[in-house]
Amino acid sequence: ILCMELPSVGAHCQHAGCSQLDFLPAICPGCSRTFCAAHALASAHTCAAPAPIVPSDNTEIAKSACVVVGCAVECHLASTCPECDRTVCLAHREPAAHACPAVQAAADRKAARHEQSVALLARYEKALAAAGRPRAKKPSPTAAKVALMKMKASAQGDPAVVPDKRVYVLAQAWDGQTLSSRPWYFSTEWSGGRLLDRIAVLLDIHDPVAKGMSLYHARDGAAAARVPTDGPASSVVVSGDSLLLCAPEHVPDLAQ
C-alpha cells in the first residue's frame, strides 16, 4: 500500500529477502547498495566489497560522530538528516530522534499561525458584536428565518431588480481590524465578479482587486470559501448568507 501511495519516497532494501521500503535508506560505502536500518552495516548484509585498508602510517579512517548529546556512536556508515543537514547515527536518523531544529521550527511556525488565526477570529467577533450582529456559532433554523426576515426588512439594493430575482445577503468588508457591513440584495443574474464590484462600491472599498481582496462566504461553523468571479453568483450564494470582502490573510476561520 505504501508503495502505491508514496512511490517516489525512500527506497527498497537491496538485501536478499528483505525489500523493505525505507524512507531514510542508507547507502553502503563499500558496495554502494541501498539498505534499510536493519541491514545497513556491512556485517548485516554480508558486504562483498573488500574491507577497508588501514593506512600504513596508522592514521585512523575518518569516522562521523552523531550530533545527539550523549550518543557515543561513531561509525563509517552515518546518515545526514535531509531537514537540518546534520550527521546522525542510524539509531537517531528520524527527525524526532535527534530533535531536528528544522522540524521544530516548522512546528513553531504552525503554532504561531494558529495563534494569529485565533486572534484574528476574536477581533472579527468583537467587530461583529460592536456592529450589533453578534456571531451565532450554531443558529437554529427558526433563528435563521427570523434573521432573514430582518435582513429583508432593512436591505437596500438596486430597485430595478425585481423581487423574485433578489438574493438578500449581509455584505461585509474586513481589513483585519475594522468591519463595515450592510444588509443588501443583488440579482440572481449577476456574476460573482459583478457582485464583488458592487459590494466594494457599497462599502466604499476602492480597487479591491488591486488590494488582493476577494469575496468569501462567512458561514458560521464552516471554513470561509471564496465566491468565484465567473458564473452566476446565485449558484453559490443564497438569501441569508453573509459575504465578506477581504484579503486572504484576513479571512477568519469560522470553523473554530
Side-chain angles (χ1 to χ4, degrees):
I1 295 176
L2 288 175
C3 297
M4 296 175 63
E5 295 179 348
L6 301 169
S8 61
V9 178
H12 290 275
C13 178
Q14 293 182 302
H15 185 267
C18 181
S19 298
Q20 177 180 326
L21 177 62
D22 196 304
F23 297 119
L24 290 172
I27 299 177
C28 175
C31 61
S32 300
R33 293 191 298 164
T34 302
F35 299 97
C36 64
H39 299 115
L41 297 177
S43 59
H45 63 262
T46 317
C47 184
I53 301 174
V54 178
S56 58
D57 59 0
N58 293 325
T59 57
E60 294 186 358
I61 297 175
K63 295 180 180 180
S64 298
C66 180
V67 298
V68 175
V69 177
C71 180
V73 174
E74 288 187 338
C75 59
H76 304 294
L77 189 57
S79 177
T80 300
C81 175
E83 299 295 337
C84 62
D85 200 34
R86 297 189 301 169
T87 300
V88 291
C89 68
L90 294 179
H92 294 119
R93 60 185 181 153
E94 294 292 342
H98 63 266
C100 180
V103 173
Q104 183 59 48
D108 291 343
R109 289 193 296 270
K110 182 178 180 180
R113 287 194 298 269
H114 177 69
E115 290 180 2
Q116 292 171 358
S117 175
V118 171
L120 178 65
L121 179 59
R123 292 197 301 271
Y124 177 68
E125 290 180 331
K126 183 178 180 180
L128 280 175
R133 307 182 190 279
R135 178 188 174 204
K137 296 184 179 181
K138 294 182 179 180
S140 66
T142 300
K145 290 181 180 179
V146 172
L148 179 57
M149 291 174 59
K150 291 181 178 179
M151 185 183 295
K152 288 183 176 180
S154 58
Q156 297 180 346
D158 187 347
V161 179
V162 295
D164 62 347
K165 288 185 177 295
R166 293 177 180 178
V167 180
Y168 293 85
V169 297
L170 178 64
Q172 305 175 82
W174 170 244
D175 63 2
Q177 297 290 341
T178 305
L179 178 73
S180 56
S181 63
R182 287 180 62 181
W184 185 69
Y185 64 80
F186 67 94
S187 172
T188 57
E189 298 177 348
W190 290 6
S191 68
R194 183 177 181 184
L195 178 60
L196 186 155
D197 292 338
R198 293 297 295 270
I199 288 180
V201 172
L202 175 73
L203 300 177
D204 198 27
I205 304 298
H206 302 286
D207 298 323
V209 176
K211 295 176 181 178
M213 303 176 79
S214 296
L215 200 58
Y216 297 87
H217 279 120
R219 291 173 177 161
D220 288 316
R226 191 175 69 86
V227 177
T229 55
D230 55 342
S234 58
S235 64
V236 293
V237 180
V238 298
S239 287
D241 278 352
S242 293
L243 297 179
L244 188 62
L245 180 62
C246 65
E249 62 270 20
H250 296 144
V251 177
D253 183 6
L254 299 176
Q256 294 186 41

